[in-house]
């Protein structure tokens, strides 16, 4: 096979060079050697002549932009022999601007885009913070007897009881999250104790219903890093199941239990988990040591249920899959007896956009449990909370902890062994406490009530409002005596339906209360005088003892009242500390048994309080937009609300459902004047799945962002045909009688910031695509020309052809995935004769969003080239960062000048020796062997990887120093090669660091038990061998046979996997790079003569060639 001349610098697909080989040779030689000279004298003379000519090229080494051919090297380090003429040819240097003309604009664009994205994430579309700090006086009691007799983790973990010295209430176990402390239970524990003492302790009716105090237990995990290590999560789940068994045993011990002896002993524990503690709570039910029915209620806060927050650990990804599959399979059973989780309720609470630790999209449990057993809700939706929360404030937020404690206490029933109410009743309580009450399925208490109030009115009363007229009371108490207002209920069967809406800035009186305002739903109930006291517990007589009075049997509506944030001219945020508005909403079907809505003004003194009530057509209050996503992004939405609009208008936008876009909402000012306005516009943005609502008070402009359809999220457990998207409910003062204009437009810069949380893990995988393609180009050129170009120059070459083609192919692949997902799935029993699949097997593919960028929507195909462009900028930053570090360290080393005597500036020496001196082969072999033995027995292979990275950095520093001293092209080739391997290793470094941090943390807490995984020697051996080979300064040989296509193929496969599966299975990237390293080691060994006898001699004695003391 004819070898290509080393001066051709030809490339297969990226580089076009108009210089012929003859011109290359003539340009390379500065003088012709005498024919009689020996080869060594010719090369020495040519090297001496070229040193002075190329003094200015030394600076290019630090920048990484110089081509090795610039240094005038004519040597091949693979040991091959050629004819004298071919061997003397010097590779022609391509002009540095060849790659720069393409790479510089592209790099600048990518860096600007990256900067704008980060700036948008930090500064735009930010939710306001409204949490109030909570205060408490904590006290913890440690259970020292929960020792190794109960659990093998007694030396690592501990169990505590908050505040109390004995157990007397209902057990609740708090589970901290990643790096969390057991002391994080104190806000909940203090609030539970105070609420029971102030509101429940003396309430005999509540005590009769089984409500008792809460015994808050908590565990000290020594701030374990659960999010990074799957085995740690399993260890915690095993320990917690043993802790639950121990906690339940405490109530059987009369020396420890102070419970009422008439109550049954608890058989289950309520779990409250924060962050990864919520995932550990779900894991407990899948463990072999789980005691059946010992857990029936789980409440999680900011827990990533849908998928692992990072996929750097194989055990974590595998454990997540096993847990989620267990829960899905359980709720896919046809019969309740076959479902081990039938009694379990799971509530997932998310903090929203303020949580920058875990994407709140991952808190969704729609793919895990049906809505009969759990739901996902955001803190901004919760009544009287109305604010988002970051990852830690959700633990101590005062408004939020009150809601959590009240919900848990309401769900308690100590009269039952499992200590909670039945599952269906628990779900009703949680929906009542956590949801807004305006959901379509929200249960109304009014239809199930019995009329207990008798309202007596004058027969000639003029308080009845005309049919279809709106009731607007401005200033309660003007009559200085109680006064009723009757709003007739329209007849049933109205086309399109009607609904009642009632809004006031005052709370509604419950039955028996006498404050400002009471709302009753009444029917005519003729009674004889003197009979009311026997049939009704409440009597409101407003007839002034006149004859011919009208009597109405009424039901109080206070239990169905909905709280809304107050919206006045002074309001700024929904969480302002001001009295909320009270709102009622009924469909006409809910009022079929009634004839009037009675609004009783009980105020005896004039006030500025108000109430507005009306019946409106559903068609008038609902505006459905038909704009598509492209039209929404391009033109937005503009709607004019008429002057005679209902008090509440709802704008449905089905196309607004992606969490990757942010919008700006604006509303025109009403022309009724400030003095005449009862309240300022109030906006509610809501999603029905998950339950996310945001309120904007005194709204003029609002930032609209959501957690709807997000990338990498699995489909829901129950397939949905369509999504309603975001709805915008607007309450405006109808008495102004003026039209207003509302607009919704895309916030492009704000949308850039939404990519950060949803795609931040992509920067651990997608840039590896760019690095792999650059390395492919470097090896391709090296195999053809013997020149190993720098990473920066090869990046420019890739940007011209290979990288755009690759991104185009991935974009087409994304479109093909979208088309395949659009095909409806086959039924569960599909197949030949319908028996190929089990009837209970779910037809939903929960992994369909794991590929590429995690979206099956063809609209988002542009994200592939977008992230490819950003990845180029990230790779450039890492490359120049590595160059800077190596250059600085090399400069520091140069302050201590030391030139070994073996360095010579003759080409003969450069051709026959490695780039620089290496340690003894015996020493390197022993060191490598010891390291691999430690990996097999004690340390995880991630530690060895860190060592390999440090050694590679040292190798790069030495290679740079020697290349600068010798002015040798061979040394520069080796430096470029070593630096590119370092860049590749740096991109794998983040995948290995988390597991190493977990291991170091275990050592810090004196937990010396080795990991059950991460000790596979083969997972690190090739990388160690490659790094050790490079420490000898040996350049990888050229491959001129078809074997060079294997190198090409390996880097292409690495690039494809990094793009397609890198985010979901990032841990496999390490193993793929390990395979590449094994191949490179094989190439190095292909140029060596190794035998068993040679290896024995290598370990027996130290050759003088490797003895630094005997070097000439």
């Amino acid at each position: 096979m004819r070898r290509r001349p080393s001066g051709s610098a030809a490339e297969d697909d990226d580089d076009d060079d108009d210089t012929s080989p003859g011109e290359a040779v003539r340009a390379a030689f500065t003088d012709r050697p005498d024919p009689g000279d020996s080869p060594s004298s010719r090369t020495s003379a040519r090297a001496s002549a070229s040193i002075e000519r190329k003094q200015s090229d030394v600076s290019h080494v630090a920048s990484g932009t110089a081509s090795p051919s610039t240094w005038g090297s004519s040597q091949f380090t693979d040991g091959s022999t050629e004819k004298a003429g071919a061997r003397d040819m010097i590779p022609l240097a391509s002009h540095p601007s060849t790659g720069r003309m393409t790479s510089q604009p592209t790099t600048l664009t990518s860096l600007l885009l990256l900067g704008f994205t980060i700036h948008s994430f930090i500064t735009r579309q930010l939710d306001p913070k409204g949490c109030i700090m909570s205060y408490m006086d904590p006290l913890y009691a440690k259970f020292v007897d929960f020792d190794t007799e109960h659990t093998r983790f007694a030396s690592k973990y501990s169990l505590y009881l908050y505040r109390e010295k004995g157990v007397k209430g209902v057990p609740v176990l708090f589970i901290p999250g990643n790096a969390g402390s057991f002391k994080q239970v104190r806000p909940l524990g203090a609030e539970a104790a105070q609420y029971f003492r102030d509101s429940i302790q003396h309430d005999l009716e509540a005590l009769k219903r089984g409500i008792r105090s809460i015994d808050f237990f908590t565990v000290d995990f020594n701030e374990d890093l659960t999010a990074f290590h799957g085995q740690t999560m399993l260890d915690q789940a095993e320990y917690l199941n043993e802790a639950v068994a121990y906690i339940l045993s405490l109530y059987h011990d009369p020396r420890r239990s102070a419970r009422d002896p008439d109550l049954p002993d608890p058989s289950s524990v309520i779990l409250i988990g924060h962050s990864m503690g919520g995932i550990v709570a779900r894991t407990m039910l899948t463990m072999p040591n789980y005691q059946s029915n010992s857990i029936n209620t789980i409440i999680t806060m900011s827990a990533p249920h849908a998928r692992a927050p990072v996929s750097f650990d194989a055990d974590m990804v595998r454990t997540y899959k096993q847990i989620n599959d267990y829960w899905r399979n359980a709720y896919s059973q046809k019969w309740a007896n076959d479902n081990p989780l039938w009694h379990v309720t799971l509530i997932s609470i998310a903090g929203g956009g303020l949580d920058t630790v875990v994407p709140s999209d991952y808190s969704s449990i729609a793919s895990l449990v049906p809505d009969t057993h759990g739901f996902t809700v955001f803190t901004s939706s919760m009544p009287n909370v109305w604010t988002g929360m970051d990852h830690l404030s959700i633990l101590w937020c005062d408004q939020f902890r009150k809601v959590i404690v009240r919900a848990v206490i309401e769900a308690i029933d100590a009269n039952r062994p499992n200590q909670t109410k039945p599952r269906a009743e628990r779900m009703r309580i949680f929906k009542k406490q956590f949801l807004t009450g305006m959901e379509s399925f929200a249960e109304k208490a009014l239809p199930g009530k019995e009329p207990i109030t008798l309202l007596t009115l004058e027969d000639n009363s003029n308080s009845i409002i005309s049919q279809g007229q709106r009731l607007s009371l401005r200033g309660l108490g003007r009559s200085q005596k109680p006064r009723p207002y009757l709003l007739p209920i329209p007849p049933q069967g109205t086309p399109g339906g009607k609904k009642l809406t009632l809004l006031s800035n005052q709370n509604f009186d419950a039955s028996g209360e006498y404050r400002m305002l009471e709302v009753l739903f009444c029917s005519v109930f003729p009674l004889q005088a003197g009979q009311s006291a026997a049939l009704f517990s409440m009597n409101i007589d407003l007839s002034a003892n006149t004859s011919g009075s009208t009597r109405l049997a009424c039901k109080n509506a206070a239990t169905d009242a909905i709280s809304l944030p107050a919206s006045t001219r002074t309001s700024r945020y929904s969480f302002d500390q001001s009295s909320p508005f009270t709102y009622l909403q009924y469909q006409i079907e809910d009022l079929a048994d009634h004839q009037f809505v009675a609004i009783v003004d009980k105020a005896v003194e004039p006030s500025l309080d108000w109430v507005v009530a009306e019946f409106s057509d559903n068609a008038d209050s609902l505006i459905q937009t038909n704009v598509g996503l492209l039209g929404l992004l391009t033109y937005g939405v503009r709607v004019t609300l008429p002057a005679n609009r209902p008090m509440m208008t709802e704008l449905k936008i089905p196309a607004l459902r992606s969490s990757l876009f942010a919008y700006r909402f604006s509303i025109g000012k009403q022309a009724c004047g400030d003095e005449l306005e009862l309240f300022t516009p109030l906006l509610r943005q809501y999603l029905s799945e998950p339950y996310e609502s945001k309120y904007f008070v005194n709204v003029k402009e609002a930032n609209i962002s959501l957690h709807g359809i997000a990338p990498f999220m699995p489909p829901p457990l129950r397939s949905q045909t369509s999504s309603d998207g975001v709805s915008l409910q607007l309450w405006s003062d109808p008495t102004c009688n003026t039209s207003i204009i509302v607009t919704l437009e895309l916030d492009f810069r704000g949308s850039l910031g939404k990519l950060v949380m949803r795609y931040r893990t992509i920067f651990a995988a997608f840039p590896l695509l760019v690095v792999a393609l650059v390395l492919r180009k470097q090896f391709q050129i090296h195999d053809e020309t013997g020149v190993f170009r720098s990473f920066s120059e090869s990046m420019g070459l890739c940007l011209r052809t290979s990288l755009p083609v690759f991104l185009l192919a991935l974009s087409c692949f994304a479109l093909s995935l979208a088309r395949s997902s659009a095909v409806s799935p086959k039924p569960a029993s599909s197949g030949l004769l319908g028996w190929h699949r089990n009837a209970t097997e779910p037809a939903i593919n929960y992994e369909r969003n794991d590929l590429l960028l995690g979206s099956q929507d063809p609209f988002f195909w542009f994200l592939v080239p977008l992230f490819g462009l950003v990845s180029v900028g990230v790779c450039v930053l890492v490359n120049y960062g590595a160059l800077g570090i190596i250059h600085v360290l090399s400069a520091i080393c140069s302050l201590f000048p030391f030139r070994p005597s073996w360095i010579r500036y003759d080409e003969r020496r450069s051709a026959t020796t490695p780039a620089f001196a290496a340690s003894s082969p015996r020493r390197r072999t022993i060191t490598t062997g010891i390291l691999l033995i430690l990996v097999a027995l004690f340390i995880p292979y991630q530690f060895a990887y860190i060592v390999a990275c440090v050694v590679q950095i040292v190798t790069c520093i030495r290679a740079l120093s020697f290349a600068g001293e010798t002015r040798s092209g061979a040394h520069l080739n080796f430096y470029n090669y070593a630096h590119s391997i370092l860049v590749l290793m740096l991109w794998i470094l983040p995948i290995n660091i988390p597991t190493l941090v977990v291991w170091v943390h275990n050592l810090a807490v004196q937990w010396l038990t080795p990991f059950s995984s991460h000790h596979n020697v083969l997972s690190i051996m090739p990388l160690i061998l490659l790094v050790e080979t490079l420490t000898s300064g040996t350049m990888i040989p050229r491959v001129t046979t078809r074997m060079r296509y294997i190198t090409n193929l390996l880097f292409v496969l690495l690039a494809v996997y990094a793009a397609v599966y890198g985010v979901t299975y990032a841990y496999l990237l390490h193993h793929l790079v390990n395979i590449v390293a094994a191949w490179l080691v094989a190439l190095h060994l292909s140029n060596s003569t190794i035998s068993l006898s040679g290896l024995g001699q290598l370990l027996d004695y130290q050759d003088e060639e490797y003895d630094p003391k005997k070097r000439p």
Side-chain angles (χ1 to χ4, degrees):
M1 177 178 178
R2 184 177 179 271
R3 184 184 295 273
R4 189 189 303 271
S6 60
S8 65
E11 298 159 31
D12 285 344
D13 59 347
D14 289 344
D15 216 11
D16 295 328
D17 198 335
D18 296 329
T19 306
S20 64
E23 293 172 343
V25 174
R26 289 192 294 273
F29 282 95
T30 58
D31 58 337
R32 302 288 295 178
D34 293 334
D37 293 342
S38 64
S40 60
S41 62
R42 288 198 304 268
T43 55
S44 177
R46 185 167 62 252
S48 300
S50 62
I51 289 175
E52 295 180 0
R53 185 177 70 250
K54 298 181 177 65
Q55 290 290 339
S56 61
D57 294 334
V58 179
S59 61
H60 292 292
V61 181
S63 64
T65 60
S67 172
S69 56
T70 306
W71 294 74
S73 171
S74 63
Q75 307 300 330
F76 297 100
T77 58
D78 58 357
S80 60
T81 60
E82 296 181 347
K83 296 180 180 180
R87 185 177 181 113
D88 287 342
M89 285 193 290
I90 304 173
L92 178 66
S94 60
H95 197 278
S97 62
T98 302
R100 290 183 182 178
M101 289 189 300
T102 304
S103 62
Q104 287 181 351
T106 305
T107 301
L108 180 61
T109 302
S110 62
L111 292 179
L112 288 176
L113 182 59
L114 180 62
F116 281 133
T117 302
I118 297 176
H119 181 268
S120 171
F121 174 70
I122 297 175
T123 61
R124 298 186 66 86
Q125 289 280 339
L126 302 179
D127 294 338
K129 298 181 179 180
C131 276
I132 301 174
M133 179 59 70
S134 56
Y135 300 94
M136 66 290 300
D137 185 17
L139 178 65
Y140 307 93
K142 182 178 180 180
F143 291 96
V144 294
D145 55 347
F146 186 50
D147 51 18
T148 53
E149 294 182 1
H150 299 84
T151 175
R152 64 189 180 99
F153 298 100
S155 61
K156 185 180 182 183
Y157 303 145
S158 303
L159 179 67
Y160 290 83
L161 174 66
Y162 179 80
R163 189 180 290 274
E164 303 292 343
K165 292 184 178 180
V167 293
K168 61 180 179 180
V170 176
V172 175
L173 178 60
F174 174 79
I175 308 174
N178 181 63
S181 170
F182 70 97
K183 296 181 180 180
Q184 291 174 332
V185 72
R186 58 185 182 268
L188 294 175
E191 175 62 26
Q194 182 177 355
Y195 179 71
F196 180 81
R197 182 176 61 252
D198 297 342
S199 304
I200 305 297
Q201 188 173 7
H202 304 291
D203 187 346
L204 298 181
E205 183 63 26
L207 296 176
K208 185 178 180 180
R209 297 199 311 267
I211 296 180
R212 293 295 187 272
S213 62
I214 296 178
D215 295 332
F216 262 107
F217 296 84
T218 181
V219 286
D220 181 10
F221 285 138
N222 281 309
E223 301 181 359
D224 260 349
L225 302 175
T226 325
F228 301 147
H229 198 231
Q231 186 59 47
T232 299
M233 188 166 67
L234 295 176
D235 292 345
Q236 290 186 359
E238 179 184 343
Y239 174 83
L240 288 172
N241 277 329
E242 293 162 346
V244 167
Y246 176 79
I247 290 171
L248 295 177
S249 69
L250 296 176
Y251 294 86
H252 297 277
D253 188 352
R255 296 171 300 175
R256 294 177 178 268
S257 177
R259 281 170 60 94
D260 187 342
D262 295 333
L263 297 176
D265 293 330
S267 62
S268 68
V269 176
I270 299 174
L271 301 183
I272 299 180
H274 171 245
S275 186
M276 292 302 296
I279 310 304
V280 174
R282 287 202 302 119
T283 308
M284 294 170 61
L285 282 74
T286 68
M287 299 295 291
N289 66 336
Y290 169 65
Q291 182 177 333
S292 180
N293 297 329
S294 61
I295 298 170
N296 65 9
T297 303
I298 303 175
I299 299 176
T300 67
M301 301 176 289
S302 298
H305 291 286
R307 59 182 291 115
V310 291
S311 57
F312 297 163
D313 179 56
D315 290 342
M316 176 62 70
V317 176
R318 189 181 306 111
T319 301
Y320 250 90
K321 178 175 174 53
Q322 292 173 353
I323 297 169
N324 288 348
D325 286 347
Y326 178 86
W327 281 68
R328 288 166 183 153
N329 293 335
Y331 287 115
S332 298
Q333 301 301 318
K334 183 177 180 180
W335 305 106
N337 292 336
D338 298 329
N339 182 3
L341 305 178
W342 181 255
H343 61 286
V344 177
T345 55
L346 174 63
I347 309 299
S348 176
I349 304 173
L354 289 177
D355 191 345
T356 57
V357 176
V358 173
S360 289
D361 307 277
Y362 293 0
S363 296
S364 174
I365 58 174
S367 65
L368 300 173
V369 300
D371 53 8
T372 55
H373 290 72
F375 57 87
T376 305
V377 63
F378 285 70
T379 58
S380 57
S381 303
M382 293 185 174
N384 299 309
V385 178
W386 297 321
T387 180
M389 301 175 193
D390 60 48
H391 201 66
L392 292 179
S393 65
I394 200 171
L395 289 166
W396 52 258
C397 186
D398 188 59
Q399 310 101 297
F400 175 70
R401 66 168 182 162
K402 287 180 168 61
V403 175
I404 290 291
V405 167
R406 282 157 178 74
V408 172
I409 289 181
E410 285 295 322
I412 285 175
D413 186 358
N415 297 320
R416 296 164 52 90
N418 57 16
Q419 302 297 289
T420 59
K421 293 179 172 64
R423 177 189 55 80
E425 191 172 350
R426 292 200 307 271
M427 286 297 298
R428 283 195 295 268
I429 292 172
F430 291 143
K431 289 180 178 180
K432 178 70 174 178
Q433 294 290 332
F434 295 153
L435 302 184
T436 63
M438 291 179 281
E439 292 76 17
S440 58
F441 57 82
E443 296 183 1
K444 302 295 184 181
L446 185 68
K449 284 186 173 182
E450 294 294 333
I452 60 173
T453 301
L454 180 64
L455 178 62
T456 305
L457 305 175
E458 294 179 286
D459 196 25
N460 58 351
S461 173
N462 58 0
S463 299
I464 300 179
I465 309 301
S466 301
Q467 184 79 33
Q469 184 178 352
R470 177 185 298 120
L471 172 64
S472 178
L473 299 181
R474 188 185 301 269
L476 300 180
R478 291 188 177 182
S479 61
Q480 298 186 354
K481 64 178 183 179
R483 181 178 177 180
Y485 298 88
L486 299 184
L487 198 64
I489 296 176
Q492 301 289 321
T494 303
K498 285 182 175 290
K499 64 181 176 183
L500 168 70
T501 54
L502 188 152
L503 183 66
S504 176
N505 65 337
Q506 279 292 324
N507 291 326
F508 300 152
D509 290 351
S511 297
E513 295 181 343
Y514 197 93
R515 291 177 297 184
M516 295 285 292
L517 187 67
E518 186 171 0
V519 179
L520 303 170
F521 288 84
C522 306
S523 301
V524 176
F525 194 83
L527 289 175
Q528 299 298 324
Q531 292 181 338
S532 60
L535 298 178
F536 298 94
S537 59
M538 299 300 301
N539 184 10
I540 302 178
D541 190 353
L542 304 178
S543 63
N545 295 324
T546 59
S547 59
S549 57
T550 300
R551 296 179 176 85
L552 301 176
C554 303
K555 302 177 183 178
N556 188 280
T559 53
D560 289 334
I562 300 171
S563 294
L564 294 178
S567 181
T568 63
R569 290 184 291 272
T570 60
S571 299
R572 294 188 60 193
Y573 301 110
S574 57
F575 49 80
D576 288 340
Q577 299 302 301
S578 56
S579 298
F581 289 171
T582 307
Y583 180 65
L584 282 177
Q585 178 176 299
Y586 291 99
Q587 292 294 327
I588 193 68
E589 293 78 12
D590 297 329
L591 309 178
D593 298 334
H594 307 89
Q595 296 171 309
F596 297 97
V597 180
I599 302 170
V600 182
D601 178 7
K602 296 182 179 180
V604 295
E605 296 181 357
S607 66
L608 299 178
D609 300 314
W610 50 267
V611 60
V612 178
E614 65 179 8
F615 282 95
S616 59
D617 292 335
N618 290 330
D620 294 337
S621 59
L622 178 62
I623 301 176
Q624 183 88 24
T625 63
N626 297 320
V627 62
L629 180 57
L630 183 60
L632 178 63
L633 300 179
T634 307
Y635 305 106
V637 174
R638 180 183 176 91
V639 177
T640 300
L641 303 182
N644 60 345
R645 65 187 177 277
M647 176 177 58
M648 191 278 291
T649 304
E650 182 171 355
L651 177 63
K652 283 186 173 294
I653 312 175
L656 205 166
R657 50 184 179 172
S658 173
S659 61
L660 298 181
F661 294 113
Y663 303 85
R664 290 288 297 170
F665 175 88
S666 62
I667 180 173
K669 183 175 177 59
Q670 298 187 98
C672 60
D674 292 340
E675 288 77 16
L676 300 177
E677 204 170 35
L678 294 177
F679 60 95
T680 55
L682 170 64
L683 177 68
R684 176 196 176 212
Q685 163 207 332
Y686 78 92
L687 273 173
S688 57
E689 179 58 46
Y691 300 119
E692 180 185 23
S693 294
K694 293 182 181 179
Y695 295 91
F696 304 91
V697 298
N698 193 19
V699 61
K700 299 178 179 63
E701 292 185 346
N703 293 324
I704 305 297
S705 60
L706 61 146
H707 295 83
I709 298 179
F712 302 109
M713 289 293 293
L717 188 67
R718 301 288 185 261
S719 59
Q720 300 175 352
T721 56
S722 62
S723 174
D724 293 334
V726 167
S727 295
L728 302 176
Q729 288 182 321
L730 180 66
W731 287 266
S732 58
D733 188 354
T735 62
C736 292
N737 200 29
T738 58
S739 62
I740 55 176
I741 299 175
V742 296
T743 59
L744 184 71
E745 298 177 344
L746 173 70
D747 184 356
F748 176 76
R749 290 190 293 173
S751 299
L752 285 178
K754 300 305 174 185
L755 297 176
V756 175
M757 283 301 297
R758 276 76 181 188
Y759 284 111
R760 59 182 180 175
T761 55
I762 205 171
F763 292 109
F766 221 72
L768 196 58
L769 177 152
V770 180
V771 174
L773 293 181
V774 172
L775 281 165
R776 166 189 168 271
K777 174 56 59 181
Q778 289 178 297
F779 278 93
Q780 184 182 29
I781 297 175
H782 175 255
D783 290 338
E784 293 177 356
T785 67
V787 176
F788 205 95
R789 298 196 178 189
S790 67
F791 189 90
S792 301
E793 188 177 0
S794 300
M795 172 76 79
L797 295 175
C798 287
L799 289 175
R800 297 172 60 189
T801 304
S802 58
L803 186 58
V805 170
F806 206 86
L807 293 179
L808 178 61
L810 288 177
S811 300
C812 295
F813 179 64
L815 291 174
S816 66
L817 286 178
R819 286 195 298 269
S820 63
S821 65
V823 180
S824 57
K826 296 180 180 180
S829 60
S830 64
L832 182 62
L833 300 180
W835 53 265
H836 276 185
R837 295 176 61 184
N838 192 300
T840 61
E841 182 181 350
I844 302 175
N845 181 14
Y846 293 102
E847 299 177 357
R848 69 184 187 188
N849 292 332
D850 289 349
L851 302 181
L852 209 57
L853 297 180
S855 176
Q856 299 293 324
D857 192 337
F859 183 85
F860 296 102
W861 67 268
F862 65 90
L863 289 177
V864 174
L866 176 67
F867 282 111
L869 180 62
V870 174
S871 297
V872 169
V874 176
C875 288
V876 170
L877 287 178
V878 172
N879 176 48
Y880 280 99
L883 283 171
I885 293 174
I886 293 173
H887 190 7
V888 170
L889 294 178
S890 179
I892 294 175
C893 293
S894 65
L895 298 178
F896 307 95
F898 171 75
R899 176 180 296 182
S901 59
W902 50 269
I903 294 183
R904 295 291 185 267
Y905 288 105
D906 56 275
E907 293 289 331
R908 179 188 61 82
R909 185 72 174 175
S910 301
T912 58
T913 62
F916 44 80
S919 60
S920 165
R922 174 193 293 178
R923 184 182 305 170
R924 288 162 42 207
T925 303
I926 294 176
T927 302
T928 303
I930 293 175
L931 186 59
L932 293 178
I933 292 174
L934 289 176
V935 168
L937 298 179
F938 182 66
I939 66 175
Y941 69 78
Q942 287 83 358
F943 179 85
Y945 187 84
I946 301 296
V947 174
C949 288
V950 174
V951 172
Q952 186 65 16
I953 292 174
V954 174
T955 301
C956 290
I957 294 173
R958 297 176 66 192
L960 176 62
S961 301
F962 294 149
E965 291 182 10
T966 61
R967 312 295 195 271
S968 169
H971 292 169
L972 182 58
N973 271 347
F974 176 77
Y975 167 71
N976 289 336
Y977 170 51
H979 174 78
S980 297
I981 296 298
L982 175 62
V983 172
L984 177 63
M985 295 178 66
L986 290 179
W987 277 115
I988 305 301
L989 187 61
I991 299 176
N992 291 280
I993 285 180
T995 302
L996 180 62
V997 172
V998 174
W999 180 71
V1000 173
H1001 175 268
N1002 285 348
L1003 293 181
V1005 298
Q1006 300 180 357
W1007 180 255
L1008 304 181
T1009 303
F1011 289 159
S1012 59
S1013 57
H1014 308 294
H1015 293 286
N1016 188 351
V1017 174
L1018 296 179
S1019 297
I1020 194 63
M1021 180 186 293
L1023 282 165
I1024 292 179
L1025 293 178
L1026 177 61
V1027 170
E1028 283 296 326
T1029 302
L1030 294 182
T1031 58
S1032 65
T1034 303
M1035 182 61 187
I1036 191 168
R1038 291 174 58 189
V1039 181
T1040 57
T1041 64
R1042 292 183 179 180
M1043 299 295 289
R1044 67 181 184 271
Y1045 297 120
I1046 298 180
T1047 308
N1048 197 338
L1049 179 62
L1050 286 176
F1051 283 114
V1052 169
L1053 292 178
L1054 176 60
V1056 171
Y1057 185 89
V1060 177
Y1061 290 101
V1063 174
T1064 304
Y1065 305 100
Y1067 66 91
L1068 283 176
L1069 293 174
H1070 169 91
H1071 300 291
L1072 291 178
V1073 172
N1074 197 48
I1075 294 174
V1076 172
W1079 173 248
L1080 296 181
V1081 171
L1083 292 182
H1084 277 282
L1085 296 178
S1086 66
N1087 201 36
S1088 304
T1089 56
I1090 300 178
S1091 64
L1092 293 178
S1093 60
L1095 290 176
Q1097 294 176 1
L1098 183 68
L1099 298 176
D1100 288 340
Y1101 67 94
Q1102 182 174 343
D1103 188 82
E1104 65 176 12
E1105 182 181 356
Y1106 296 98
D1107 191 348
K1109 297 181 180 179
K1110 297 183 180 181
R1111 287 191 180 275

